[in-house]
Amino acid sequence: MASKFERSAEDFLKEESGELREVRPFEKYIINFVALSWTIFQMLLPSVLTLNSTYIRSIHLAFALALAYLSLPMFKYPKTSFGKTIAPMNKIAIHDYIFAIAGIVCATYLVWDWEGLSMRAGVPIQRDIVIGLLIIALTLEATRRSIGTPLAIIAAVFSLYGFFAENMPDLIAFKSVSLSKYINQIALSTEGIFGIPIGVSANIVFLFVLMGAMLDKAGAGKYFINLAVSLLGGFRGGPAKAAVIASGLSGMVSGSSIANVVTTGTFTIPLMKSVGYPGEKAAAVEVAASTNGQLMPPIMGAAAFIIAEYVNVPYIQVVKAAIIPAFTSYLALLYITHLEACKLGIQGLPKDKLPGFMKTLLSGIHYLIPITWLLVELVVLRHTPQMAAYRTVLLLIAVIFYQEIKNALKNKSSFSEGIKNSIKLTFDGFVTGAKSMVGVALATAAAGVVVGMVSLGIGGMINEIVDTIANGNIYILLFVTAGASLLLGMGLPTTANYIVMASLTAPLIVKLGTAYGFIVPLMAAHMFVFFFGILADDTPPVGLAAYAAAAIADSPPIKTGVQGFMYDIRTAIIPFMFIFNHDLILDGVTSWSFGIFIFIIATLGALMFASAVQGWFVTKNNILETILLLASSLFFYRPAIISNFFHINTDEAHKYFFIVVPIILVTIVYFMQKMRVKKLEIV
């Protein structure tokens, strides 16, 4: 059980939901009480409680630490007798109770000694230093338990580096930090653990994760799957197309790649295999679809809310920037499943196995009410994400009561039985939402250690190194950033990966772009890092989403990860394109008609790139056709290349006149392949 290659889908789900331990009944009550208390606290913030932002962050971290130590053993799958003693899987160890209590006391230190800390800001006393060290140690250990060792190690390495920086070679040296300065920056101010990332986690992300958990408990996940199957299941490769749509809908509200794989993949992967998809390809489709769920507005995972804070724009601007890349990416994945079906000769599901679309749609249409209301709150009423999520959760509670009372009356049970079921579902949603937030809260807190060290001097040093490597070349910088994001993301969740890389490289991308002669919007730089952080979830050899899917499909994990990454290359190309063509993230685009036009040509670019990479358009590509398809994709994404090549001066709108070039290239490939197919049919 210790190897990630041997874990079952249930293991991944338990890890994701923080329920690894099969604790004793009274301990389960303790854990549920802490989780419920956390949710109630978060629900009171937008409506009743008015607290200092630092207080909110401290209490938020205190709950996360308590739940982490109570729910998660020191080792996930202990094998030795010593390991089982210090990390029991059937009860909470005594030292974990101590760590949980210490976590609560230390994390709330900024609350119960706020005045004293304010009076001696920058000059911590011995007690401050001791408690500060405890906050850091407890946070990193809880992070290790909840999301794995890499982030804890990275934070520790950055911290140690700060102490010994003056002893390093000249290229990587800077002024070392003292212990008091380190503690003050990382644990006693809002520049480290209690910085912007955990503030976003506390004020916004929690409510969105809670909403996703409640939708799942209410049965929305199963509804999305059935709806997708009823709509697309009958087409060629229908189950794979249904998997893409279902994962997109689920990812829209869950924001977690692994949770998406385990919940939707349990149904869609066997369905894909049943019509002829090989195990690794069925799993890879689910991985690619689930990974990209973090791109889908309106939720887009926790990192998207942090983007809004870092770029200092309303969240709706992040949604606007993501909408074309997200939808074109999903349409291209649908197209890839079609190409795979063509190559493998796979048909759709027979009609007698398909649920009726209208019947399925109407059976759970009440699940769409909260999602629609959330969009209204964000897009039409322009309320803050916190208030929009809060009101949507309240509406969702009402929907759950409606559903359960209706079901009780339909099944000829009593009205009180419906109320009882409603309360239970709401309670389960509240508890699950809190447990699901542990990893996010701790990821943002631990990443805050890295951010704090960056601002103490490491950031400037790394920028100099990266600048030296790039040698003023924006293209090299982008490849270095993309590679580093994928490398870090092999062990980090998307949120932590984004925070670290955005702190280190996003400002440098903007700076070098200006030096290279063109403007890179700050939003484009942050979205670039965000995209590659997401793609790391299926990057071999440590793509956890691929492992989870492989466990369901009973396929080789590495092979599944490689195949999933091949499917996701279509997403990897998009960030490079919007760095050079800002229209793709609708930067400065105010016209609906122009926005739709950009969406159409971006989709064509994504489809042609998918055809080139998959080696199939109408039929199997030859080398020339692949080159023409790649060229057409590039020109669809960035038509200014043509005008720049011929030194034709055009304004921003007129560059799209050259779209005729990629259209001609695609037409040539189409007729070349049609003629080849026709000859084969004659023969």
Side-chain angles (χ1 to χ4, degrees), residues 221-475:
K222 186 177 179 181
Y223 169 71
F224 289 150
I225 294 171
N226 291 335
L227 186 65
V229 171
S230 68
L231 182 64
L232 297 171
F235 291 96
R236 173 172 285 207
K241 292 182 172 70
V244 173
I245 298 298
S247 295
L249 291 171
S250 297
M252 185 171 64
V253 294
S254 75
S256 168
S257 303
I258 298 172
N260 204 347
V261 165
V262 176
T263 51
T264 62
T266 304
F267 179 82
T268 58
I269 290 174
L271 202 59
M272 284 186 270
K273 290 177 71 176
S274 72
V275 296
Y277 281 94
E280 69 275 5
K281 291 196 174 186
V285 168
E286 181 59 47
V287 169
S290 296
T291 299
N292 281 189
Q294 292 180 78
L295 295 176
M296 286 298 288
I299 295 181
M300 298 173 58
F305 298 104
I306 300 173
I307 292 175
E309 292 295 320
Y310 275 3
V311 182
N312 195 27
V313 296
Y315 177 65
I316 193 66
Q317 292 297 319
V318 181
V319 172
K320 179 183 176 183
I323 196 162
I324 286 181
F327 278 98
T328 55
S329 181
Y330 263 97
L331 287 172
L333 184 56
L334 278 173
Y335 181 61
I336 286 172
T337 63
H338 180 75
L339 295 178
E340 288 285 17
C342 291
K343 288 192 282 185
L344 297 169
I346 294 173
Q347 300 301 318
L349 290 170
K351 286 187 178 181
D352 59 340
K353 290 188 178 181
L354 290 174
F357 173 70
M358 285 305 299
K359 183 179 178 181
T360 304
L361 176 65
L362 294 175
S363 68
I365 200 166
H366 53 281
Y367 295 127
L368 302 179
I369 296 173
I371 297 173
T372 303
W373 179 249
L374 177 65
L375 292 171
V376 170
E377 287 269 348
L378 289 172
V379 179
V380 181
L381 302 179
R382 296 295 179 99
H383 289 156
T384 64
Q386 182 187 32
M387 187 55 66
Y390 169 71
R391 290 176 175 171
T392 303
V393 169
L394 293 181
L395 179 59
L396 186 51
I397 293 172
V399 167
I400 288 174
F401 271 78
Y402 160 78
Q403 172 185 277
E404 294 307 308
I405 292 171
K406 177 186 173 185
N407 289 342
L409 296 177
K410 183 179 179 181
N411 297 328
K412 298 184 179 178
S413 299
S414 63
F415 181 82
S416 60
E417 186 69 20
I419 296 292
K420 181 181 176 182
N421 291 339
S422 302
I423 293 172
K424 183 180 183 303
L425 269 181
T426 303
F427 171 82
D428 289 345
F430 276 23
V431 169
T432 301
K435 289 179 179 178
S436 300
M437 267 303 298
V438 171
V440 176
L442 291 172
T444 55
V449 176
V450 178
V451 174
M453 293 308 300
V454 167
S455 60
L456 281 176
I458 290 181
M461 180 268 295
I462 291 179
N463 280 348
E464 287 183 18
I465 294 173
V466 174
D467 200 359
T468 301
I469 294 171
N471 195 27
N473 190 313
I474 186 69
Y475 300 101

Side-chain angles (χ1 to χ4, degrees), residues 95 120 136 194 284 306 339 381 389 397 413 445 452 470 485-486 506 552 558 629 671 677 681:
H95 55 267
R120 54 182 183 270
I136 295 167
F194 300 104
I306 300 173
L339 295 178
L381 302 179
I397 293 172
S413 299
S485 296
L486 290 176
I552 298 170
I558 298 297
L629 288 171
F671 281 109
V677 170
E681 288 175 351

Side-chain angles (χ1 to χ4, degrees), residues 157-178 453 456-459 461-462 465:
V157 168
F158 268 68
S159 298
L160 289 172
Y161 195 90
F163 290 116
F164 300 102
E166 290 180 356
N167 301 319
M168 298 295 174
D170 290 343
L171 179 63
I172 56 174
F174 64 95
K175 187 177 180 181
S176 300
V177 298
S178 64
M453 293 308 300
L456 281 176
I458 290 181
M461 180 268 295
I462 291 179
I465 294 173

